[in-house]
Amino acid sequence: MTAYVTTNPATGKTERTFPELDDAAVSDVLGRVTDAYPGWRATPAADRAQILVRVAEAYEARSDELAALIATEMGKPVKEAAGEVALAASIYRWYAEHGPDLLTRETLDPQGAQESVVQTEPIGPLVGVMPWNFPYYQVARFVAPNLLVGNTIVLKHAPICAASAEVMDEIFHTAGVPDDVYVNVYATNEQIADMIADPRIQGISLTGSERAGASVAETAGRNLKKAVLELGGSDAFIVLDDADVARTAKVAARARLMNGGQACNSPKRMIVPTDKVEEFVSVLVSTFEATEHGDPTDSGTRLGPLSSVAARDGVAEQVRRAVEQGATLHTGGEVPDGDGAFLRPAVLTGVTKDMDAYSEEIFGPVAVVYGVDSVDEAVTLANDVSYGLSGSVWSGDIERAQEIADRLEVGMAYVNEHGTTLPGLPFGGVKRSGFGRELGRWGMGEFVNTRLRRTA
Ligand code: NDP
């Protein structure tokens, strides 16, 4: 647990310090979201939807300001940050448009009775714990469906995103979310554990590391609370022998550098036919080397700093260790001179099963390229990690690629694209990438009471 202090990762300058939640206030927060719940669930869904539309409008109207804020907070280049703001807005709109229909009463085959109906209902106050890599989008995935369904929310954001957490809180309340229906807290992990254990809280959703996920899931399990976890990933990007190597390598390079490589579903492992590795690596290297890093608030910047110096040092250390253990570094991995949490993007080959880089998630601008001699070898390698978030297969032969995609042990398999996220599509993983789903109708099915009423 770090303090709620925002630091510009491009300069190292501390921006603001935020007051942390007092232990004595924890119960008061829980009391507020509990007392607000009956009124919120009784509010017509159409009214809740209208509030979400106003949230979306505020994101769109304030896009430049919101993008600049996370650029200085966690280093995302403003052009990408504006894309994230638009994506978050689209999620609030999607739930405003489709959410009320997903709540309507469903009449089942009565099976010997007069009537059997199922109604989707809220379950009560929830806790959300969010990470710094997509400050607006991660919150939207949790908040939009749950506000629409009628749940109330305590939200703990990552400490380095305290300022964007503050602005989101203001946006929600200005749009009409009652003060006690959404409460932003600058809480410690211990306070979050106490909240999860409290009988007033009905569920917890966390996006972040395995360590954080295991910790909250343990508390949730002990207290019989539902948990949704969206954790790490080490996605495979599988190139088949018929694919256009230069073009797919360019796509892979760009995808890997998005958000400085700090995405759970970034293509971290590229799996390429052995005889194509040299060409693939050369395109990756030239694209990485041509991508200058710079000030994330500058609209021309394509690669910003990592989220913090500590995060950058961790990734640089993973690269250094891979080389020490025998991998080949083709470019990057070094820390450039000057201030800020910058790291030159790296390409590694020759990573073998006995090396840490084979199984660890690398949360930064590092591509690991593997050569394989068959499709079976590619699939085995792709599945040989503890994660199972997403993966992609690239080929001109769609049917063949789809068959291979179906063999990936993931929550999201793509053909000729990687990591597309849309409000109506499910998002989530299997294995140690977590459990539960966000977005679409699935995201509205997690923290609900699917209530049966049967009349004999
Ligand atoms: P964390 O998982 O530590 O942080 C994510 C959020 O979880 C933060 O709000 C954090 O708060 C909170 N958290 C952490 N531990 C607990 C706990 N025991 N109880 C309650 N809340 C907790 O991620 P880091 O920022 O440390 O990043 C480390 C690694 O996590 C990355 O390298 C990456 O592998 C993974 N990660 C994955 C993400 C994803 O999108 N799936 C997003 C971010 C990180 P606090 O900082 O106060 O502890």
Side-chain angles (χ1 to χ4, degrees):
M1 163 66 204
T2 42
Y4 283 82
V5 175
T6 54
T7 302
N8 184 337
T11 62
K13 181 172 162 273
T14 297
E15 299 279 335
R16 282 177 67 192
T17 301
F18 294 76
E20 286 166 37
L21 187 70
D22 208 66
D23 279 345
V26 169
S27 187
D28 174 55
V29 166
L30 298 182
R32 287 169 58 196
V33 287
T34 304
D35 292 347
Y37 172 57
W40 184 241
R41 71 172 282 168
T43 302
D47 294 358
R48 296 195 297 257
Q50 205 42 51
I51 291 173
L52 294 192
V53 170
R54 289 200 290 274
V55 170
E57 287 168 354
Y59 272 72
E60 285 155 358
R62 297 172 65 175
S63 174
D64 289 349
E65 171 206 344
L66 296 180
L69 182 60
I70 56 171
T72 51
E73 202 174 54
M74 49 67 71
K76 193 187 303 270
V78 274
K79 188 159 183 280
E80 274 185 48
E84 182 184 334
V85 172
L87 177 60
S90 73
I91 292 169
Y92 291 106
R93 274 192 201 286
W94 193 92
Y95 281 104
E97 190 181 341
H98 301 280
D101 288 345
L102 295 170
L103 288 174
T104 52
R105 182 169 294 204
E106 191 183 341
T107 304
L108 307 178
D109 177 352
Q111 298 199 16
Q114 284 185 57
E115 189 194 61
S116 283
V117 291
V118 161
Q119 175 76 42
T120 301
E121 294 187 349
I123 56 169
L126 307 174
V127 170
V129 178
M130 294 297 144
W132 43 263
N133 58 342
F134 291 89
Y136 302 119
Y137 159 68
Q138 310 274 22
V139 168
R141 290 196 312 201
F142 171 63
V143 166
N146 285 302
L147 283 185
L148 192 285
V149 104
N151 292 320
T152 58
I153 290 171
V154 180
L155 200 290
K156 177 224 176 298
H157 217 314
I160 66 171
C161 293
S164 52
E166 179 184 63
V167 170
M168 280 184 270
D169 184 70
E170 181 219 315
I171 287 176
F172 295 141
H173 294 135
T174 306
V177 177
D179 279 358
D180 295 346
V181 163
Y182 178 92
V183 180
N184 177 59
V185 291
Y186 297 129
T188 64
N189 294 339
E190 293 70 28
Q191 290 169 340
I192 292 298
D194 288 346
M195 290 186 196
I196 297 168
D198 191 288
R200 289 170 286 188
I201 289 297
Q202 304 303 315
I204 158 86
S205 180
L206 177 139
T207 298
S209 61
E210 287 174 82
R211 181 186 49 78
S215 171
V216 304
E218 188 182 338
T219 312
R222 224 180 307 119
N223 292 281
L224 300 178
K225 302 289 169 67
K226 167 102 186 233
V228 167
L229 301 179
E230 206 273 272
L231 310 176
S234 192
D235 285 8
F237 182 108
I238 300 176
V239 181
L240 299 189
D241 49 13
D242 71 309
D244 177 338
V245 175
R247 199 179 64 79
T248 48
K250 199 136 208 146
V251 173
R254 293 212 182 101
R256 189 65 185 107
L257 295 188
M258 288 277 293
N259 209 35
Q262 305 163 110
C264 48
N265 61 347
S266 179
K268 296 175 183 129
R269 298 177 300 140
M270 294 155 199
I271 301 175
V272 181
T274 302
D275 61 346
K276 306 277 172 53
V277 168
E278 196 180 324
E279 185 186 355
F280 194 90
V281 166
S282 108
V283 175
L284 273 187
V285 167
S286 58
T287 311
F288 278 14
E289 288 179 350
T291 309
E292 297 284 335
H293 60 265
D295 179 353
T297 61
D298 181 338
S299 62
T301 296
R302 292 291 166 271
L303 183 64
L306 299 201
S307 61
S308 67
V309 167
R312 188 274 313 278
D313 289 349
V315 175
E317 168 58 18
Q318 283 178 296
V319 173
R320 195 200 57 73
R321 207 172 345 114
V323 173
E324 184 184 274
Q325 292 175 347
T328 304
L329 178 65
H330 296 263
T331 187
E334 71 276 8
V335 172
D337 291 338
D339 293 330
F342 295 98
L343 180 73
R344 288 304 307 156
V347 178
L348 290 167
T349 59
V351 170
T352 52
K353 206 174 164 74
D354 52 318
M355 300 178 192
D356 296 331
Y358 184 88
S359 47
E360 280 178 357
E361 177 181 31
I362 305 184
F363 217 62
V366 181
V368 180
V369 184
Y370 295 91
V372 290
D373 295 322
S374 70
V375 162
D376 284 347
E377 202 186 327
V379 171
T380 303
L381 180 59
N383 291 336
D384 194 25
V385 286
S386 58
Y387 300 103
L389 192 57
S390 75
S392 58
V393 182
W394 297 76
S395 170
D397 184 341
I398 301 291
E399 263 181 49
R400 180 168 168 243
Q402 286 173 334
E403 276 168 26
I404 296 164
D406 286 345
R407 294 168 62 192
L408 300 179
E409 295 166 0
V410 293
M412 299 167 285
Y414 298 94
V415 170
N416 292 339
E417 61 175 14
H418 191 106
T420 304
T421 301
L422 293 168
L425 302 179
F427 193 104
V430 294
K431 296 160 78 176
R432 291 183 72 86
S433 292
F435 39 77
R437 287 293 176 272
E438 296 192 285
L439 295 180
R441 67 182 165 85
W442 303 271
M444 236 180 81
E446 295 289 357
F447 297 108
V448 291
N449 177 8
T450 307
R451 200 154 76 86
L452 169 70
R453 191 191 68 199
R454 190 174 149 88
T455 308

PDB file of all heavy atoms in Angstrom, residues 318-341:
ATOM      1  N   GLN A 318      13.334  -7.439 -15.036  1.00  0.00           N
ATOM      2  CA  GLN A 318      12.895  -8.691 -15.683  1.00  0.00           C
ATOM      3  C   GLN A 318      13.693  -8.925 -16.974  1.00  0.00           C
ATOM      4  O   GLN A 318      14.073 -10.045 -17.279  1.00  0.00           O
ATOM      5  CB  GLN A 318      11.399  -8.634 -15.995  1.00  0.00           C
ATOM      6  CG  GLN A 318      10.508  -8.847 -14.777  1.00  0.00           C
ATOM      7  CD  GLN A 318       9.035  -8.725 -15.145  1.00  0.00           C
ATOM      8  OE1 GLN A 318       8.585  -7.650 -15.551  1.00  0.00           O
ATOM      9  NE2 GLN A 318       8.281  -9.792 -14.996  1.00  0.00           N
ATOM     10  N   VAL A 319      13.925  -7.847 -17.725  1.00  0.00           N
ATOM     11  CA  VAL A 319      14.690  -7.971 -18.976  1.00  0.00           C
ATOM     12  C   VAL A 319      16.134  -8.364 -18.641  1.00  0.00           C
ATOM     13  O   VAL A 319      16.715  -9.272 -19.257  1.00  0.00           O
ATOM     14  CB  VAL A 319      14.652  -6.640 -19.779  1.00  0.00           C
ATOM     15  CG1 VAL A 319      15.580  -6.721 -20.995  1.00  0.00           C
ATOM     16  CG2 VAL A 319      13.222  -6.312 -20.205  1.00  0.00           C
ATOM     17  N   ARG A 320      16.706  -7.701 -17.656  1.00  0.00           N
ATOM     18  CA  ARG A 320      18.107  -7.978 -17.284  1.00  0.00           C
ATOM     19  C   ARG A 320      18.253  -9.446 -16.853  1.00  0.00           C
ATOM     20  O   ARG A 320      19.167 -10.147 -17.264  1.00  0.00           O
ATOM     21  CB  ARG A 320      18.501  -7.042 -16.129  1.00  0.00           C
ATOM     22  CG  ARG A 320      19.999  -6.954 -15.872  1.00  0.00           C
ATOM     23  CD  ARG A 320      20.322  -6.449 -14.474  1.00  0.00           C
ATOM     24  NE  ARG A 320      19.751  -7.244 -13.401  1.00  0.00           N
ATOM     25  CZ  ARG A 320      20.176  -8.457 -13.029  1.00  0.00           C
ATOM     26  NH1 ARG A 320      21.195  -9.008 -13.645  1.00  0.00           N
ATOM     27  NH2 ARG A 320      19.576  -9.120 -12.049  1.00  0.00           N
ATOM     28  N   ARG A 321      17.279  -9.906 -16.066  1.00  0.00           N
ATOM     29  CA  ARG A 321      17.339 -11.293 -15.574  1.00  0.00           C
ATOM     30  C   ARG A 321      17.195 -12.290 -16.720  1.00  0.00           C
ATOM     31  O   ARG A 321      17.852 -13.332 -16.752  1.00  0.00           O
ATOM     32  CB  ARG A 321      16.252 -11.507 -14.516  1.00  0.00           C
ATOM     33  CG  ARG A 321      16.591 -12.582 -13.534  1.00  0.00           C
ATOM     34  CD  ARG A 321      15.638 -12.714 -12.347  1.00  0.00           C
ATOM     35  NE  ARG A 321      14.741 -11.616 -12.127  1.00  0.00           N
ATOM     36  CZ  ARG A 321      13.406 -11.715 -12.268  1.00  0.00           C
ATOM     37  NH1 ARG A 321      12.846 -12.836 -12.678  1.00  0.00           N
ATOM     38  NH2 ARG A 321      12.632 -10.677 -12.018  1.00  0.00           N
ATOM     39  N   ALA A 322      16.321 -11.959 -17.686  1.00  0.00           N
ATOM     40  CA  ALA A 322      16.144 -12.863 -18.842  1.00  0.00           C
ATOM     41  C   ALA A 322      17.478 -13.023 -19.571  1.00  0.00           C
ATOM     42  O   ALA A 322      17.873 -14.140 -19.938  1.00  0.00           O
ATOM     43  CB  ALA A 322      15.063 -12.316 -19.774  1.00  0.00           C
ATOM     44  N   VAL A 323      18.182 -11.905 -19.767  1.00  0.00           N
ATOM     45  CA  VAL A 323      19.470 -11.955 -20.476  1.00  0.00           C
ATOM     46  C   VAL A 323      20.480 -12.741 -19.648  1.00  0.00           C
ATOM     47  O   VAL A 323      21.205 -13.599 -20.174  1.00  0.00           O
ATOM     48  CB  VAL A 323      19.967 -10.520 -20.774  1.00  0.00           C
ATOM     49  CG1 VAL A 323      21.378 -10.544 -21.347  1.00  0.00           C
ATOM     50  CG2 VAL A 323      19.004  -9.815 -21.727  1.00  0.00           C
ATOM     51  N   GLU A 324      20.491 -12.491 -18.352  1.00  0.00           N
ATOM     52  CA  GLU A 324      21.421 -13.203 -17.465  1.00  0.00           C
ATOM     53  C   GLU A 324      21.158 -14.713 -17.524  1.00  0.00           C
ATOM     54  O   GLU A 324      22.075 -15.514 -17.462  1.00  0.00           O
ATOM     55  CB  GLU A 324      21.200 -12.681 -16.046  1.00  0.00           C
ATOM     56  CG  GLU A 324      22.142 -13.223 -14.989  1.00  0.00           C
ATOM     57  CD  GLU A 324      21.715 -12.678 -13.620  1.00  0.00           C
ATOM     58  OE1 GLU A 324      22.159 -11.562 -13.297  1.00  0.00           O
ATOM     59  OE2 GLU A 324      20.918 -13.333 -12.921  1.00  0.00           O
ATOM     60  N   GLN A 325      19.878 -15.075 -17.700  1.00  0.00           N
ATOM     61  CA  GLN A 325      19.529 -16.504 -17.722  1.00  0.00           C
ATOM     62  C   GLN A 325      19.699 -17.120 -19.117  1.00  0.00           C
ATOM     63  O   GLN A 325      19.408 -18.285 -19.315  1.00  0.00           O
ATOM     64  CB  GLN A 325      18.089 -16.687 -17.212  1.00  0.00           C
ATOM     65  CG  GLN A 325      17.965 -16.355 -15.720  1.00  0.00           C
ATOM     66  CD  GLN A 325      16.524 -16.410 -15.197  1.00  0.00           C
ATOM     67  OE1 GLN A 325      15.577 -16.456 -15.970  1.00  0.00           O
ATOM     68  NE2 GLN A 325      16.373 -16.389 -13.878  1.00  0.00           N
ATOM     69  N   GLY A 326      20.129 -16.302 -20.103  1.00  0.00           N
ATOM     70  CA  GLY A 326      20.474 -16.863 -21.410  1.00  0.00           C
ATOM     71  C   GLY A 326      19.661 -16.385 -22.592  1.00  0.00           C
ATOM     72  O   GLY A 326      19.893 -16.822 -23.724  1.00  0.00           O
ATOM     73  N   ALA A 327      18.680 -15.501 -22.383  1.00  0.00           N
ATOM     74  CA  ALA A 327      17.891 -15.001 -23.517  1.00  0.00           C
ATOM     75  C   ALA A 327      18.723 -14.003 -24.339  1.00  0.00           C
ATOM     76  O   ALA A 327      19.721 -13.467 -23.857  1.00  0.00           O
ATOM     77  CB  ALA A 327      16.622 -14.326 -23.000  1.00  0.00           C
ATOM     78  N   THR A 328      18.271 -13.776 -25.583  1.00  0.00           N
ATOM     79  CA  THR A 328      18.951 -12.802 -26.441  1.00  0.00           C
ATOM     80  C   THR A 328      18.133 -11.526 -26.495  1.00  0.00           C
ATOM     81  O   THR A 328      16.927 -11.553 -26.794  1.00  0.00           O
ATOM     82  CB  THR A 328      19.091 -13.372 -27.878  1.00  0.00           C
ATOM     83  OG1 THR A 328      19.776 -14.615 -27.790  1.00  0.00           O
ATOM     84  CG2 THR A 328      19.843 -12.420 -28.799  1.00  0.00           C
ATOM     85  N   LEU A 329      18.794 -10.402 -26.224  1.00  0.00           N
ATOM     86  CA  LEU A 329      18.130  -9.094 -26.281  1.00  0.00           C
ATOM     87  C   LEU A 329      18.494  -8.439 -27.610  1.00  0.00           C
ATOM     88  O   LEU A 329      19.670  -8.228 -27.894  1.00  0.00           O
ATOM     89  CB  LEU A 329      18.610  -8.228 -25.102  1.00  0.00           C
ATOM     90  CG  LEU A 329      18.061  -6.814 -25.018  1.00  0.00           C
ATOM     91  CD1 LEU A 329      16.552  -6.816 -24.784  1.00  0.00           C
ATOM     92  CD2 LEU A 329      18.757  -6.040 -23.884  1.00  0.00           C
ATOM     93  N   HIS A 330      17.466  -8.136 -28.431  1.00  0.00           N
ATOM     94  CA  HIS A 330      17.729  -7.582 -29.768  1.00  0.00           C
ATOM     95  C   HIS A 330      17.726  -6.065 -29.771  1.00  0.00           C
ATOM     96  O   HIS A 330      18.321  -5.443 -30.649  1.00  0.00           O
ATOM     97  CB  HIS A 330      16.697  -8.110 -30.767  1.00  0.00           C
ATOM     98  CG  HIS A 330      16.792  -9.588 -30.955  1.00  0.00           C
ATOM     99  ND1 HIS A 330      17.486 -10.167 -31.988  1.00  0.00           N
ATOM    100  CD2 HIS A 330      16.327 -10.605 -30.198  1.00  0.00           C
ATOM    101  CE1 HIS A 330      17.425 -11.480 -31.875  1.00  0.00           C
ATOM    102  NE2 HIS A 330      16.721 -11.771 -30.789  1.00  0.00           N
ATOM    103  N   THR A 331      16.994  -5.471 -28.853  1.00  0.00           N
ATOM    104  CA  THR A 331      16.998  -4.010 -28.723  1.00  0.00           C
ATOM    105  C   THR A 331      16.390  -3.652 -27.373  1.00  0.00           C
ATOM    106  O   THR A 331      15.658  -4.451 -26.771  1.00  0.00           O
ATOM    107  CB  THR A 331      16.176  -3.335 -29.849  1.00  0.00           C
ATOM    108  OG1 THR A 331      16.348  -1.907 -29.759  1.00  0.00           O
ATOM    109  CG2 THR A 331      14.687  -3.626 -29.745  1.00  0.00           C
ATOM    110  N   GLY A 332      16.686  -2.462 -26.918  1.00  0.00           N
ATOM    111  CA  GLY A 332      15.993  -1.880 -25.769  1.00  0.00           C
ATOM    112  C   GLY A 332      16.343  -2.482 -24.421  1.00  0.00           C
ATOM    113  O   GLY A 332      17.386  -3.105 -24.247  1.00  0.00           O
ATOM    114  N   GLY A 333      15.435  -2.226 -23.471  1.00  0.00           N
ATOM    115  CA  GLY A 333      15.624  -2.705 -22.103  1.00  0.00           C
ATOM    116  C   GLY A 333      16.381  -1.722 -21.246  1.00  0.00           C
ATOM    117  O   GLY A 333      16.459  -1.891 -20.030  1.00  0.00           O
ATOM    118  N   GLU A 334      16.951  -0.661 -21.881  1.00  0.00           N
ATOM    119  CA  GLU A 334      17.744   0.259 -21.069  1.00  0.00           C
ATOM    120  C   GLU A 334      16.926   1.481 -20.642  1.00  0.00           C
ATOM    121  O   GLU A 334      15.957   1.855 -21.300  1.00  0.00           O
ATOM    122  CB  GLU A 334      19.039   0.686 -21.791  1.00  0.00           C
ATOM    123  CG  GLU A 334      18.865   1.618 -22.961  1.00  0.00           C
ATOM    124  CD  GLU A 334      18.539   0.895 -24.264  1.00  0.00           C
ATOM    125  OE1 GLU A 334      18.295  -0.327 -24.252  1.00  0.00           O
ATOM    126  OE2 GLU A 334      18.491   1.572 -25.306  1.00  0.00           O
ATOM    127  N   VAL A 335      17.362   2.053 -19.548  1.00  0.00           N
ATOM    128  CA  VAL A 335      16.719   3.248 -19.007  1.00  0.00           C
ATOM    129  C   VAL A 335      17.415   4.461 -19.620  1.00  0.00           C
ATOM    130  O   VAL A 335      18.616   4.631 -19.444  1.00  0.00           O
ATOM    131  CB  VAL A 335      16.864   3.257 -17.473  1.00  0.00           C
ATOM    132  CG1 VAL A 335      16.389   4.572 -16.886  1.00  0.00           C
ATOM    133  CG2 VAL A 335      16.099   2.087 -16.862  1.00  0.00           C
ATOM    134  N   PRO A 336      16.667   5.293 -20.370  1.00  0.00           N
ATOM    135  CA  PRO A 336      17.337   6.439 -20.974  1.00  0.00           C
ATOM    136  C   PRO A 336      17.747   7.480 -19.929  1.00  0.00           C
ATOM    137  O   PRO A 336      17.202   7.512 -18.833  1.00  0.00           O
ATOM    138  CB  PRO A 336      16.273   7.016 -21.923  1.00  0.00           C
ATOM    139  CG  PRO A 336      14.986   6.409 -21.529  1.00  0.00           C
ATOM    140  CD  PRO A 336      15.251   5.197 -20.694  1.00  0.00           C
ATOM    141  N   ASP A 337      18.709   8.317 -20.284  1.00  0.00           N
ATOM    142  CA  ASP A 337      19.135   9.391 -19.371  1.00  0.00           C
ATOM    143  C   ASP A 337      17.976  10.339 -19.124  1.00  0.00           C
ATOM    144  O   ASP A 337      17.094  10.481 -19.962  1.00  0.00           O
ATOM    145  CB  ASP A 337      20.290  10.195 -19.999  1.00  0.00           C
ATOM    146  CG  ASP A 337      21.559   9.348 -20.069  1.00  0.00           C
ATOM    147  OD1 ASP A 337      21.653   8.372 -19.302  1.00  0.00           O
ATOM    148  OD2 ASP A 337      22.424   9.664 -20.915  1.00  0.00           O
ATOM    149  N   GLY A 338      18.012  11.006 -18.012  1.00  0.00           N
ATOM    150  CA  GLY A 338      17.002  12.033 -17.737  1.00  0.00           C
ATOM    151  C   GLY A 338      15.977  11.568 -16.726  1.00  0.00           C
ATOM    152  O   GLY A 338      16.000  10.423 -16.266  1.00  0.00           O
ATOM    153  N   ASP A 339      15.049  12.490 -16.417  1.00  0.00           N
ATOM    154  CA  ASP A 339      14.017  12.196 -15.418  1.00  0.00           C
ATOM    155  C   ASP A 339      12.932  11.318 -16.034  1.00  0.00           C
ATOM    156  O   ASP A 339      12.817  11.206 -17.237  1.00  0.00           O
ATOM    157  CB  ASP A 339      13.362  13.507 -14.953  1.00  0.00           C
ATOM    158  CG  ASP A 339      14.348  14.356 -14.176  1.00  0.00           C
ATOM    159  OD1 ASP A 339      15.239  13.767 -13.540  1.00  0.00           O
ATOM    160  OD2 ASP A 339      14.236  15.599 -14.242  1.00  0.00           O
ATOM    161  N   GLY A 340      12.114  10.780 -15.178  1.00  0.00           N
ATOM    162  CA  GLY A 340      10.935  10.064 -15.661  1.00  0.00           C
ATOM    163  C   GLY A 340      11.139   8.563 -15.693  1.00  0.00           C
ATOM    164  O   GLY A 340      12.255   8.057 -15.699  1.00  0.00           O
ATOM    165  N   ALA A 341       9.984   7.869 -15.765  1.00  0.00           N
ATOM    166  CA  ALA A 341       9.977   6.410 -15.676  1.00  0.00           C
ATOM    167  C   ALA A 341      10.024   5.771 -17.066  1.00  0.00           C
ATOM    168  O   ALA A 341       9.234   4.881 -17.375  1.00  0.00           O
ATOM    169  CB  ALA A 341       8.730   5.971 -14.914  1.00  0.00           C
TER     170      ALA A 341
END
